[in-house]
Amino acid sequence: GHQWKEGEVHDETRPPGIYFDYMIEPISVIITRDEKSLLYFLVRLCAATGGVFVTAGIVYRVLYRLGTYMLIIRPSKPSAMDRGILGEKNSPRVD
């Protein structure tokens, strides 16, 4: 008969075929110390600060445009001075 080796899968319920058993091992992590200069740190700090200001400016512009767009689409309740005789805005007054 056949002698089963250690790690070999023997299952009577499996159909015959070729099976691959992958041995997945944990990935090793190597930690190294990489020293950067003070100039490198200052350049990175300025880049991050500039990025924050640019992003804040873009968000401000988008919100400002969205706010003015919403005011144009849905204006506040018109006053009596804005309405003409027929209720139209800036219609000429006929006496």
Side-chain angles (χ1 to χ4, degrees), residues 3-36:
Q3 269 194 337
W4 297 99
K5 300 178 198 165
E6 185 180 338
E8 191 173 355
V9 178
H10 176 64
D11 189 1
E12 297 289 335
T13 60
R14 277 181 145 175
I18 299 174
Y19 298 97
F20 295 96
D21 186 21
Y22 296 100
M23 297 292 195
I24 300 174
E25 298 179 10
I27 299 171
S28 64
V29 177
I30 300 172
I31 300 173
T32 59
R33 184 174 178 173
D34 191 15
E35 294 184 14
K36 304 288 184 188

Side-chain angles (χ1 to χ4, degrees), residues 1-90:
H2 178 72
Q3 269 194 337
W4 297 99
K5 300 178 198 165
E6 185 180 338
E8 191 173 355
V9 178
H10 176 64
D11 189 1
E12 297 289 335
T13 60
R14 277 181 145 175
I18 299 174
Y19 298 97
F20 295 96
D21 186 21
Y22 296 100
M23 297 292 195
I24 300 174
E25 298 179 10
I27 299 171
S28 64
V29 177
I30 300 172
I31 300 173
T32 59
R33 184 174 178 173
D34 191 15
E35 294 184 14
K36 304 288 184 188
S37 66
L38 180 63
L39 181 63
Y40 179 82
F41 171 73
L42 292 176
V43 168
R44 294 290 301 253
L45 183 65
C46 290
T49 307
V52 167
F53 277 105
V54 168
T55 305
I58 292 171
V59 169
Y60 172 77
R61 278 195 305 249
V62 166
L63 291 178
Y64 179 78
R65 297 246 172 126
L66 188 65
T68 56
Y69 180 73
M70 293 299 287
L71 286 176
I72 291 170
I73 297 297
R74 291 185 297 134
S76 61
K77 190 174 180 181
S79 66
M81 296 296 285
D82 292 338
R83 291 191 307 255
I85 295 173
L86 302 174
E88 296 176 4
K89 208 171 187 179
N90 297 330

